[in-house]
Amino acid sequence: MTESVESKHDVIAIGAGPFNLGLAALASTVDDLDLVVLESRTEFRWHPGLMFDDAMLQVSFLADLVSLVAPTHSLSFLSYLHDTDRMYPFYVREQFHPTRREYEHYLRWAVSKLPSVRWSHRVEAVRWDAGASLFTVHVVHADGRRSVMQAKDIVLGVGTEPNVPESLAALPGDKLLHTADYLHRSESVEAAGRVTVIGSGQSGAEVALDLLRRNAAGGGAVSWLTRTVSFAPLDYTKLVLEMTTPAYIRYFHDLPQGKRDELVAEQWRHYKGISTETLEAIHDVLYQRDLTPGLTDVELRNGIAIEGSTVDSNGRAVLTCRHRDTGRTFDHVTDLVVAATGYKQRKPAFLAPIENLVRRDEKSRYKVALDHSIELDPAVSGRVYVSNADLHSHGVAAPDLGIGAFRNATILNSVSGRELYRLPKNTAYTSFAVPGGAG
């Protein structure tokens, strides 16, 4: 079938997660900016495999699509509450943090008001047309039709994908699932005599809490193993939170890459820790289950590294474990493993045609400028921006919903060459740099 040029735009954003939805929301009020968002899925869903009824967002409602740079925008969380006639119930509830289910409801409400988001548009390839000085984006539609769209600039918001470490790779699919699929695999969880969660973080803790509640109600045995020295809480103290502000991002971006990598490794509790509320709920379940005799076994172990896995002759998963403090090894036998092992950056195949134009660092990561554009061959006049692929360049705020509006406003200002949105400057009390502004 012959491809046709469907349309030309100023910006094409690929991927319709919260960050690119925020980009579309901020762009929707700029009359002379033509931006579209392309998404392969048929509708918006946000982490459905972890959508527990009581799961709370780890940031406040102000970390919506727009408020931190445009608080009067019509697609703010408060506008959503007003439009759905839920303002007073939210006010009386007196909770700064909404549930994840409510936040997804807000995002779906925003999507309904953003005609620039195109669903069932799978991007197959992105090419650079030097003659036209435009990117050409090759799209496959749900009905199989193919088309080409063109844009001056591209924004990548394809997000991350579940990461399963090599030490668990030998396990077959019926013995292993990632936390991202936990609620989709409820039958497997119910059927297992023992479920073992590997890794901590908020997702691992929420799965462990659900399993412990099942156990307290007469369900199967539960093990929770993590290599960290403790089931560590999210560091959510006020001055630490200033490391997720634009002030720290600017400071961090100026540092040598080696120092940035050191800091990201040290600051893991800023974005990989467990909320205090979840830890308290886990301890409460453990405490209350003491009053019910005859329940199946529960074990929590930290400082445990998983070094290998296999399936024994009885069809059970066997994990080779090392106790990090003593170096001693032991086998852990279980029926089902839940990998709470985080996420990794997607490597979109559609970028293959321009891969030779992309400049990467020694670890094959994008070289990302302060305005979130990646370094390209000087012959390319268009720009490619990244969203949540800049942990190594912009620090631990990168995956934080609270930085999304600021990053998107920065990108839109860069795209347009003017100040579409005034960026906040007074964002932290802490001074991060050497006195006098030296590097």
Side-chain angles (χ1 to χ4, degrees), residues 118-411:
R118 314 285 175 84
W119 302 97
S120 300
H121 280 57
R122 179 173 62 84
V123 175
E124 189 174 48
V126 174
R127 295 184 169 87
W128 173 247
D129 185 339
S133 294
L134 294 170
F135 289 102
T136 59
V137 179
H138 297 253
V139 178
V140 180
H141 302 257
D143 60 2
R145 181 175 65 89
R146 297 173 182 270
S147 64
V148 173
M149 305 169 73
Q150 295 183 316
K152 298 174 184 176
D153 300 309
I154 300 291
V155 179
L156 300 179
V158 295
T160 55
E161 61 187 5
N163 176 55
V164 176
E166 188 64 30
S167 59
L168 297 177
L171 295 179
D174 63 334
K175 303 297 176 187
L176 175 69
L177 64 95
H178 193 273
T179 50
D181 297 319
Y182 178 73
L183 292 178
H184 301 320
R185 295 280 300 275
S186 57
E187 290 185 4
S188 299
V189 172
E190 289 284 355
R194 176 179 295 276
V195 180
T196 299
V197 181
I198 303 297
S200 51
Q202 185 65 22
S203 297
E206 288 176 1
V207 168
L209 177 58
D210 183 70
L211 291 170
L212 290 170
R213 285 170 172 166
R214 291 171 185 259
N215 173 274
V222 180
S223 296
W224 187 14
L225 313 178
T226 177
R227 65 178 291 116
T228 55
V229 296
S230 66
F231 295 99
L234 184 72
D235 196 338
Y236 206 70
T237 50
K238 302 304 180 186
L239 294 182
V240 168
L241 277 178
E242 293 197 338
M243 290 184 173
T244 64
T245 63
Y248 186 74
I249 288 173
R250 287 189 288 267
Y251 163 75
F252 184 91
H253 190 271
D254 259 354
L255 296 172
Q257 187 59 62
K259 175 53 67 174
R260 292 187 220 167
D261 291 343
E262 287 179 25
L263 289 172
V264 168
E266 291 172 3
Q267 296 169 353
W268 63 272
R269 277 185 59 192
H270 301 349
Y271 64 107
K272 290 184 178 180
I274 305 166
S275 74
T276 302
E277 293 79 8
T278 303
L279 288 171
E280 290 175 351
I282 288 171
H283 189 272
D284 193 55
V285 173
L286 293 170
Y287 182 79
Q288 294 298 334
R289 73 184 295 279
D290 286 346
L291 304 176
T292 305
L295 297 177
T296 55
D297 180 49
V298 163
E299 67 171 328
L300 280 68
R301 298 185 189 275
N302 48 35
I304 304 297
I306 310 301
E307 298 191 331
S309 56
T310 188
V311 177
D312 67 14
S313 58
N314 295 318
R316 304 189 77 195
V318 180
L319 306 180
T320 302
C321 304
R322 177 173 56 84
H323 186 252
R324 297 182 69 197
D325 285 346
T326 64
R328 295 179 59 183
T329 60
F330 62 94
D331 286 343
H332 174 82
V333 181
T334 189
D335 297 294
L336 182 67
V337 174
V338 181
T341 47
Y343 296 79
K344 61 184 178 181
Q345 289 296 324
R346 283 196 172 93
K347 296 182 178 179
F350 59 73
L351 287 185
I354 63 169
E355 184 56 43
N356 64 314
L357 303 175
V358 175
R359 301 294 178 256
R360 297 179 181 270
D361 67 13
E362 65 277 2
K363 295 185 178 180
S364 297
R365 300 171 299 195
Y366 299 126
K367 292 185 176 181
V368 189
L370 186 58
D371 69 354
H372 305 280
S373 63
I374 64 176
E375 187 176 329
L376 301 173
D377 187 286
V380 180
S381 59
R383 290 157 297 185
V384 176
Y385 298 85
V386 291
S387 194
N388 195 16
D390 46 10
L391 180 69
H392 64 289
S393 60
H394 288 66
V396 293
D400 195 300
L401 291 172
I403 207 64
F406 178 85
R407 176 167 48 208
N408 286 331
T410 301
I411 291 172

Side-chain angles (χ1 to χ4, degrees), residues 9-167:
H9 307 274
D10 295 317
V11 182
I12 292 178
I14 303 172
F19 290 131
N20 270 355
L21 291 181
L23 187 75
L26 289 177
S28 68
T29 57
V30 182
D31 292 337
D32 60 345
L33 181 65
D34 182 358
L35 179 146
V36 295
V37 179
L38 308 182
E39 170 57 55
S40 60
R41 296 173 297 172
T42 59
E43 63 175 355
F44 181 81
R45 296 295 303 277
W46 194 50
H47 301 303
L50 280 169
M51 194 58 73
F52 297 104
D53 287 340
D54 57 351
M56 301 292 289
L57 206 64
Q58 289 184 291
V59 292
S60 86
F61 71 91
L62 291 174
D64 62 17
L65 300 179
V66 294
S67 286
L68 288 172
V69 296
T72 61
H73 197 285
S74 62
L75 293 180
S76 70
F77 187 83
L78 290 180
S79 294
Y80 150 77
L81 292 175
H82 177 71
D83 191 54
T84 56
D85 196 20
R86 298 179 66 247
M87 184 70 80
Y88 267 89
F90 184 81
Y91 162 69
V92 172
R93 181 172 175 260
E94 290 190 332
Q95 289 285 337
F96 209 48
H97 296 187
T99 64
R100 282 211 297 268
R101 186 175 298 279
E102 183 176 26
Y103 194 78
E104 183 193 43
H105 194 267
Y106 156 67
L107 293 175
R108 291 172 70 89
W109 169 85
V111 164
S112 72
K113 299 178 180 301
L114 287 170
S116 60
V117 181
R118 314 285 175 84
W119 302 97
S120 300
H121 280 57
R122 179 173 62 84
V123 175
E124 189 174 48
V126 174
R127 295 184 169 87
W128 173 247
D129 185 339
S133 294
L134 294 170
F135 289 102
T136 59
V137 179
H138 297 253
V139 178
V140 180
H141 302 257
D143 60 2
R145 181 175 65 89
R146 297 173 182 270
S147 64
V148 173
M149 305 169 73
Q150 295 183 316
K152 298 174 184 176
D153 300 309
I154 300 291
V155 179
L156 300 179
V158 295
T160 55
E161 61 187 5
N163 176 55
V164 176
E166 188 64 30
S167 59

Side-chain angles (χ1 to χ4, degrees), residues 394-437:
H394 288 66
V396 293
D400 195 300
L401 291 172
I403 207 64
F406 178 85
R407 176 167 48 208
N408 286 331
T410 301
I411 291 172
L412 292 177
N413 287 353
S414 177
V415 163
S416 66
R418 67 186 195 274
E419 190 180 66
L420 295 174
Y421 287 96
R422 179 171 61 86
L423 299 179
K425 295 179 174 60
N426 180 27
T427 61
Y429 292 114
T430 307
S431 298
F432 301 104
V434 174

